[in-house]
Amino acid sequence: MRARMVPFLQWVRRQGLTVQLRPILFVVTDLNTLAPFFTMEEGQRKSWFHGNIRPQNPEEWFASFKAYHDLYLTIARLAQVEFYTLGAELYSMTVGIEGEWKEYPEGFPKNWSQLLQYARKQLPAKTKIMYDLTYTDDYGHSVVRGGEFERWRHRLVDLPASSSELREFWSSLDAIGVDMYRSLGSGEELVPQNYPELVKFLRQTSDRYAKELTASLSQIETTLKIKKSVILKEVGFRSSQLSFLNPFAYDNPGEQLNLEHQAAAYEAFLESFSDPKLQWLGGMAFWDIGVSPKRRGEQDNGFTPVGKPHTEAVIKRYYQTIFSR
């Protein structure tokens, strides 16, 4: 892998692009479909994903996770990448999921700080190290509205006396990543059929999320006396009917194709987050633009905007606005 990845990333950098290396741990049944993994617990079907794992021996898990990073840290160092992600959406392992893992209700922030220090020694001085938090309404994977990000805010701001290790981890990170999977509607309202009206309708919610993130980050900054840049690492909507109601769902070939709903969701979201008042916003990346030529174009109902002229035009227009300020 190293022999292939390093020259490729070096080529990408020569094109004038910023490079981030983002190793992600997935817990799935099938790597091709990302189908979730299920077990039975006390007669109930339990859905597992990387955010609610409960390793029997957390210390051994972190040792294994450190070894997992070694290959990617080497690639990042040789390719001189600008950003390196230490972990993504590992909710139970960072701040804990109190109701589900009572033995470790506060997660393992100290272990994350140790891993960060280890990574810092391996990477170029210019490489910014990040951790990516979920910001979601997916109650199958989250116990609170806002997901992992809200739990971090709660511990850092509302429980400062008991969150010293989490504060240390947050403070040591160069920037924060946010995986943005908030619904742009409740599913109970009548959705406008007219495109401009649909964008206006969706913006009511996306505007609220921009304000909520700003307020939460301000609270953390005031409490910790540290300002952090935030990069929205995963923003995405499938090109399927009403995809803006459950953007956290994986691709489903059975969903009804609707290119306009994808474009409208992107336009509403980007309109809200192109506000120059959002000084904390350091960048944005999209989920998911795969390399398979089969998953693109106007007959594809998945996440990619590639080959979908309306969505591509929306993204190009707003990206120029966001990053020209």
Side-chain angles (χ1 to χ4, degrees):
M1 179 190 290
R2 184 174 70 180
R4 298 194 309 271
M5 286 292 293
V6 172
F8 172 68
L9 294 179
Q10 290 172 336
W11 176 84
V12 171
R13 293 188 68 245
R14 288 197 298 272
Q15 310 314 303
L17 297 174
T18 298
V19 176
Q20 68 160 322
L21 197 57
R22 189 176 185 244
I24 300 180
L25 174 68
F26 273 134
V27 177
V28 294
T29 302
D30 184 339
L31 284 175
N32 293 316
T33 64
L34 299 182
F37 180 76
F38 294 96
T39 61
M40 296 299 294
E41 288 196 357
E42 299 178 353
Q44 299 292 320
R45 195 171 187 234
K46 172 71 176 178
S47 174
W48 296 93
F49 88 124
H50 44 287
N52 67 353
I53 58 175
R54 300 199 302 257
Q56 291 183 346
N57 189 320
E59 292 298 327
E60 288 186 2
W61 185 91
F62 273 101
S64 176
F65 193 56
K66 177 183 174 183
Y68 162 78
H69 270 285
D70 280 336
L71 170 62
Y72 298 101
L73 288 168
T74 300
I75 292 172
R77 182 177 69 253
L78 294 174
Q80 296 284 301
V81 303
E82 284 82 3
F83 293 95
Y84 187 86
T85 296
L86 205 60
E89 304 184 3
L90 290 164
Y91 194 149
S92 60
M93 302 303 292
T94 56
V95 289
I97 302 180
E98 296 166 345
E100 294 191 22
W101 202 7
K102 297 179 181 179
E103 296 88 345
Y104 302 101
E106 298 180 0
F108 307 91
K110 183 177 180 180
N111 295 72
W112 285 100
S113 291
Q114 293 170 347
L115 181 60
L116 189 152
Q117 292 169 10
Y118 174 77
R120 187 84 70 192
K121 294 177 181 178
Q122 316 301 316
L123 294 170
K126 70 166 189 175
T127 301
K128 297 185 183 301
I129 301 178
M130 309 179 68
Y131 176 85
D132 301 345
L133 304 144
T134 60
Y135 189 52
T136 182
D137 293 322
D138 184 1
Y139 291 105
H141 294 160
S142 172
V143 294
V144 293
R145 183 180 295 276
E148 187 181 5
F149 176 83
E150 171 53 28
R151 179 58 65 183
W152 279 56
R153 187 214 61 78
H154 171 62
R155 291 203 180 281
L156 292 170
V157 175
D158 302 332
L159 304 173
S162 61
S163 63
S164 59
E165 292 179 351
L166 185 62
R167 290 203 308 272
E168 179 183 349
F169 182 41
W170 175 281
S171 301
S172 299
L173 290 164
D174 296 308
I176 306 299
V178 169
D179 294 347
M180 188 82 185
Y181 291 113
R182 302 297 301 269
S183 302
L184 297 186
S186 67
E188 299 175 356
E189 310 100 329
L190 184 64
V191 176
Q193 299 301 307
N194 174 274
Y195 182 84
E197 289 299 317
L198 177 58
V199 173
K200 182 179 178 181
F201 168 78
L202 298 176
R203 264 206 68 186
Q204 297 177 67
T205 305
S206 56
D207 280 350
R208 175 163 56 84
Y209 294 151
K211 292 176 182 177
E212 287 179 359
L213 269 174
T214 299
S216 294
L217 289 166
S218 177
Q219 290 175 14
I220 296 172
E221 179 184 338
T222 300
T223 302
L224 273 61
K225 305 295 189 293
I226 296 175
K227 181 180 292 188
K228 292 290 182 183
S229 176
V230 172
I231 296 178
L232 301 181
K233 289 291 193 71
E234 294 185 20
V235 175
F237 303 94
R238 303 179 308 286
S239 45
S240 58
Q241 185 77 9
L242 301 178
S243 61
F244 42 75
L245 297 182
N246 61 342
F248 40 78
Y250 288 127
D251 284 352
N252 180 354
E255 289 183 332
Q256 180 181 342
L257 179 70
N258 193 318
L259 299 173
E260 194 168 78
H261 279 192
Q262 182 191 50
Y266 266 113
E267 183 155 356
F269 185 88
L270 291 171
E271 180 68 27
S272 298
F273 282 83
S274 62
D275 187 337
K277 295 178 182 178
L278 304 182
Q279 294 297 314
W280 50 264
L281 182 59
M284 191 180 299
F286 303 122
W287 182 275
D288 165 39
I289 303 176
V291 296
S292 172
K294 297 179 181 179
R295 295 311 310 268
R296 62 183 62 188
E298 295 181 87
Q299 297 305 311
D300 172 67
N301 70 352
F303 278 97
T304 182
V306 176
K308 301 166 184 176
H310 194 171
T311 303
E312 285 186 346
V314 167
I315 291 174
K316 288 177 181 177
R317 183 169 75 252
Y318 283 96
Y319 232 59
Q320 290 172 345
T321 300
I322 292 171
F323 294 107
S324 64
R325 67 191 190 198

